[in-house]
Amino acid sequence: YLEPGHGIYCCPSTTELNTVWGGLSSSLQSFELNRRLPTDGGWQWLTGFRWVQWNESLGIRTEYGNEQVSFMDRYDTATFNDLYGWQVGGDSILYGLGCPFRIEGIGKAGIYYNNAAQRSASTTTATLPPATLAVGTDAGRAAFVGEVGLTAVYDLADWLSVRAGYEIGRAHV
């Protein structure tokens, strides 16, 4: 319940000191080891093991009060996902087979085991002693990861190429 005049997160908008800070971070890492099975015409099937780590965190902190007393409320939450699984897909030269300029396409998908965890904590100094409530959970469940991409390649020499492309990934965890 917020009384009339409260700010977005913590305190009356009439307080002399009203500071809000927020931060969001995300990280994505991936490792894969694939076996490629070439076919005629620039097409290759691929299959292999993949590990994906996807973590996110959010923090919100407010400081409020006046010249005599100040308080701080803080909320932090984070999720951790470690996915291990097998993927299948294909890699192909879509245009320009055997030419210095070509366009390549790739598509991969897999079912993964997700070792997931979530942690949250809320702290306030408005009480004596300061209070913290922390919760968390761990769960293992199935997940899906898919990826498609297009890459333009220009061979400057037989040992040097310039590549520019775009990949789209989708995870359902």
Side-chain angles (χ1 to χ4, degrees):
Y1 171 75
L2 295 176
E3 296 176 8
H6 268 67
I8 292 173
Y9 179 63
C10 70
C11 45
S13 58
T14 57
T15 40
E16 296 175 25
L17 173 63
N18 185 359
T19 304
V20 177
W21 170 90
L24 174 67
S25 68
S26 183
S27 68
L28 178 67
Q29 299 182 69
S30 178
F31 170 81
E32 54 189 283
L33 184 62
N34 291 308
R35 167 93 163 101
R36 293 181 171 267
L37 307 164
T39 65
D40 293 334
W43 178 265
Q44 296 182 54
W45 291 105
L46 60 89
T47 183
F49 171 81
R50 187 170 189 183
W51 165 75
V52 179
Q53 183 182 66
W54 178 19
N55 300 327
E56 293 186 308
S57 63
L58 169 70
I60 301 170
R61 184 180 72 222
T62 61
E63 296 173 2
Y64 55 98
N66 54 40
E67 291 179 6
Q68 289 78 33
V69 64
S70 66
F71 302 102
M72 189 263 310
D73 290 340
R74 181 178 182 131
Y75 175 74
D76 295 292
T77 188
T79 59
F80 312 94
N81 294 278
D82 277 305
L83 294 90
Y84 306 90
W86 202 261
Q87 68 180 4
V88 296
D91 188 1
S92 178
I93 297 174
L94 302 174
Y95 171 81
L97 181 63
C99 299
F101 175 77
R102 64 187 174 279
I103 297 177
E104 299 175 353
I106 192 165
K108 302 179 273 189
I111 301 297
Y112 296 80
Y113 170 75
N114 182 10
N115 184 23
Q118 186 269 335
R119 305 281 182 264
S120 296
S122 181
T123 302
T124 185
T125 62
T127 62
L128 288 176
T132 298
L133 173 64
V135 296
T137 187
D138 297 295
R141 57 189 289 187
F144 167 82
V145 175
E147 178 182 338
V148 294
L150 282 174
T151 305
V153 181
Y154 185 74
D155 295 327
L156 299 172
D158 61 351
W159 56 272
L160 181 63
S161 299
V162 176
R163 303 174 66 86
Y166 190 76
E167 290 188 20
I168 298 172
R170 170 79 171 128
H172 181 74
V173 294

